[in-house]
Amino acid sequence: MAKVNKRLAVLVGCNYPNTQYELHGCINDVVAMKDVLVKRFGFDPTNIELLTDASAVTGEGSSSVVLPTGENIKAALSKMVSQAEAGDVLYFHYSGHGTRIPKSAHIFGHDEAIVPCDFNLITDVDFRQLVNQLPKGASFTILSDSCHSGGLIDKEKEQIGPSTYRAASSLSYKAKNIPFESILEHLTTLTGINTSDIGTHLLESFGANASLKFLTPQLESELFDFLKADEGILLSGCQADETSADMNPMESGGKAYGAFSNAVQMVLKENSGRLSNKEVVMMARKVLEAQGFDQHPCLYCSDENADATFLCQPEAKPY
């Protein structure tokens, strides 16, 4: 009997309810994407893990809901990657806040990170390590609908990058960004330690569950010693220096949503045939531009994967 390749997904929606950083559309984004994965891309619902902070509002017990903490997200991703074999299709969809971490004083630039509900940052180094662990022949697509998401797989090749054109947006939305200074302030209140070194706060708060970037700083250079074309594919909601939009239901006149997640949904709905990763990103850019958003989705992957079919969509079955 021929081996059937697995399709595995981890979907994370963080709305940060009852906080000053509250968003509205992130859980809607991943719930809608789960439906698309099953109906269009052939994913088995039992192979899709959904992590949301909805229980913080509903009061549901932790036994029935897995909260999107840093530890839980990394555990779900590690489990998915560890199960992967050649030919398998892996997908991670994140909708929530992102941030930029300044590099050390002697190095120019920033590192990108996503912000789980407990502020235990997951950095581009963590995603790089996951991609490096993929078995040959498996693919790992990451769609991050968050601010500063460009470059979230560290050192991945840029295929569709920064746009030089910036139009002023008249739309009213909330940016899916928590400034680095605000994260530092939040963590300082947790630890009580008087230092501006975020690594110290994260290690004190989360110990061995903190990002690899802070646990083993030397690992960052080791991860890149043997870089070659890999199977990591990042569709980012915006450039590294941009914000991604979260639309409030009162302002949009309907269901809350993340602008990039919604744009991808629209592209897939309007194009039933196979689309390449490059086509999905370029079409999503056009949708966002037409809607008046000032954010530019990007694509980071190998040359081969830029033209590969998004999520290896199966051929349509003849009637």
Side-chain angles (χ1 to χ4, degrees):
M1 186 174 176
K3 174 182 172 291
V4 178
N5 294 328
K6 298 188 295 295
R7 291 175 170 267
L8 310 171
V10 174
L11 312 178
V12 174
C14 290
N15 275 344
Y16 316 90
N18 307 315
T19 72
Q20 62 180 308
Y21 308 111
E22 185 168 10
L23 299 172
H24 297 89
C26 300
I27 295 174
N28 289 342
D29 291 340
V30 293
V31 169
M33 194 63 194
K34 180 178 180 180
D35 191 53
V36 173
L37 292 178
V38 172
K39 292 181 178 178
R40 175 163 177 163
F41 293 100
F43 281 70
D44 184 326
T46 61
N47 287 334
I48 301 175
E49 184 162 1
L50 185 67
L51 291 80
T52 76
D53 52 6
S55 62
V57 175
T58 62
E60 293 179 27
S62 58
S63 60
S64 60
V65 177
V66 180
L67 286 172
T69 63
E71 179 180 359
N72 289 342
I73 294 171
K74 286 189 289 187
L77 291 173
S78 295
K79 178 184 175 184
M80 179 170 69
V81 170
S82 70
Q83 292 176 332
E85 300 173 285
D88 289 350
V89 177
L90 280 59
Y91 180 64
F92 173 53
H93 190 125
Y94 172 77
S95 185
H97 281 302
T99 194
R100 301 179 86 190
I101 307 167
K103 290 185 182 287
S104 54
H106 61 285
I107 303 176
F108 176 77
H110 297 80
D111 287 315
E112 290 74 37
I114 61 172
V115 186
C117 67
D118 62 347
F119 280 59
N120 184 8
L121 303 182
I122 302 177
T123 70
D124 48 3
V125 176
D126 298 305
F127 288 110
R128 165 49 60 193
Q129 192 212 32
L130 286 165
V131 168
N132 282 3
Q133 292 174 344
L134 277 180
K136 187 175 178 61
S139 69
F140 186 8
T141 301
I142 296 173
L143 190 154
S144 188
D145 190 353
S146 57
C147 291
H148 313 304
S149 46
L152 200 55
I153 304 177
D154 207 3
K155 303 298 188 291
E156 194 64 64
K157 184 174 182 180
E158 179 184 287
Q159 297 289 345
I160 301 173
S163 169
T164 55
Y165 174 72
R166 295 291 177 88
S169 175
S170 59
L171 294 173
S172 177
Y173 61 84
K174 186 163 185 177
K176 300 168 87 165
N177 165 58
I178 302 180
F180 172 78
E181 294 75 15
S182 299
I183 290 176
L184 190 61
E185 182 180 341
H186 174 79
L187 293 172
T188 300
T189 62
L190 296 180
T191 64
I193 300 174
N194 184 22
T195 178
S196 60
D197 177 46
I198 196 165
T200 299
H201 294 294
L202 289 167
L203 291 170
E204 175 68 20
S205 299
F206 305 107
N209 292 313
S211 170
L212 287 169
K213 177 177 177 60
F214 309 108
L215 274 175
T216 50
Q218 75 279 5
L219 180 67
E220 186 166 359
S221 60
E222 294 171 6
L223 282 172
F224 307 133
D225 285 345
F226 54 93
L227 275 187
K228 56 187 183 304
D230 57 56
E231 298 306 318
I233 303 164
L234 170 65
L235 290 76
S236 68
C238 62
Q239 298 166 189
D241 62 345
E242 288 183 330
T243 59
S244 289
D246 180 72
M247 294 303 290
N248 186 303
M250 291 183 294
E251 295 161 346
S252 61
K255 209 171 188 180
Y257 60 87
F260 180 51
S261 293
N262 183 65
V264 170
Q265 297 269 351
M266 289 178 63
V267 166
L268 294 175
K269 188 173 182 179
E270 293 167 6
N271 300 271
S272 59
R274 291 175 163 186
L275 295 173
S276 69
N277 291 305
K278 186 182 292 185
E279 286 172 327
V280 170
V281 172
M282 291 306 297
M283 288 179 179
R285 273 195 175 199
K286 290 179 180 177
V287 169
L288 290 168
E289 183 180 356
Q291 293 175 335
F293 289 102
D294 183 23
Q295 65 184 80
H296 302 85
C298 299
L299 175 65
Y300 299 82
C301 62
S302 67
D303 294 342
E304 184 178 353
N305 280 329
D307 295 316
T309 304
F310 178 64
L311 291 182
C312 302
Q313 180 177 337
E315 288 188 47
K317 296 177 182 177
Y319 291 105

